[in-house]
Amino acid sequence: QVQLVESGGGSVQAGGSLKLSCAASHYIFRNLFKTCEMVWYRQAPGKERELVSTISNYGSTTYADSVQGRFTISQDVATNTLHLQMNSLKTEDTAVYYCAACAVTRVTGPTYAYWGQGTQVTVSS
């Protein structure tokens, strides 16, 4: 069951921009944006999953060093949509990008309760 739905991925040349969006697929999940930390992860082929950016329900944000100054995370509370504005894209930004929400601790360790299926971002030189 898909709980979060990403969109906005695609192919772009280096230096270009893309804006990713993440929305809840069911009204039950739409309050997540008001109560939970929301995050963007990415995973490139052959690499481990990387935390790209986070935003708390209070609006405080964090960024990975690799994207600091180029990416901006934001929330549209009116539409319950999470965004990731990506500027000055580099070939190393190529990955599948996932949004996730609500930090939890499982037997296997900390994770997030809700995940999207991912959207592909490809940056060519």
Side-chain angles (χ1 to χ4, degrees):
Q1 180 181 358
V2 175
Q3 299 163 328
L4 299 175
V5 181
E6 301 97 338
S7 62
S11 297
V12 64
Q13 287 192 324
S17 299
L18 283 173
K19 185 174 185 177
L20 304 184
S21 298
C22 172
S25 63
H26 193 281
Y27 76 94
I28 290 177
F29 301 107
R30 290 174 189 164
N31 284 330
L32 297 177
F33 295 88
K34 301 176 184 177
T35 59
C36 288
E37 179 182 66
M38 307 288 292
V39 304
W40 286 97
Y41 273 94
R42 67 185 181 186
Q43 187 162 23
K47 295 187 177 181
E48 292 189 355
R49 190 171 60 192
E50 176 188 19
L51 180 61
V52 175
S53 183
T54 72
I55 185 166
S56 75
N57 57 318
Y58 297 105
S60 60
T61 60
T62 68
Y63 297 93
D65 290 343
S66 57
V67 307
Q68 181 74 49
R70 300 187 298 121
F71 289 11
T72 302
I73 191 171
S74 64
Q75 280 180 304
D76 185 332
V77 177
T79 61
N80 293 305
T81 306
L82 178 72
H83 298 290
L84 184 68
Q85 176 67 48
M86 306 186 295
N87 299 328
S88 302
L89 282 162
K90 304 176 181 179
T91 55
E92 51 263 44
D93 294 319
T94 295
V96 177
Y97 284 72
Y98 301 89
C99 63
C102 301
V104 294
T105 300
R106 309 243 189 245
V107 173
T108 51
T111 184
Y112 288 86
Y114 306 104
W115 289 83
Q117 291 186 315
T119 185
Q120 176 70 45
V121 171
T122 302
V123 184
S124 59
S125 58

